[in-house]
Amino acid sequence: ELAGAVAHEIAHGVRRHGTQRVSAANEANVIAGAVLGGNPGVAAQIAAQIAAQGAFASFSRSDEREADALGVQ
């Protein structure tokens, strides 16, 4: 079980799932910055960051299936 869990997590790294999610969150932050304008309030900045991080917090089901399959191999 431990080997399977470790292999699954290594597969996420090999397929760069985390990096892809961070990149997507950064793009969302850039878009939010453009929408909020040059001098948004603190509350607006915090809300935009929370929304972006929440939207990209976990791996998708396809990422999980891919990590499972690669981990088994």
Side-chain angles (χ1 to χ4, degrees):
E1 287 178 16
L2 176 62
V6 170
H8 173 92
E9 295 307 323
I10 289 172
H12 278 305
V14 168
R15 298 304 296 174
R16 303 180 56 83
H17 293 154
T19 305
Q20 292 168 355
R21 303 211 57 82
V22 169
S23 295
N26 286 340
E27 290 173 11
N29 282 334
V30 169
I31 292 169
V35 169
L36 293 173
N39 193 14
V42 173
Q45 289 176 343
I46 291 171
Q49 289 177 352
I50 289 172
Q53 293 302 321
F56 301 104
S58 63
F59 295 123
S60 69
R61 289 180 191 230
S62 65
D63 288 349
E64 292 296 338
R65 280 191 295 274
E66 184 177 33
D68 286 342
L70 186 59
V72 168
Q73 288 177 358

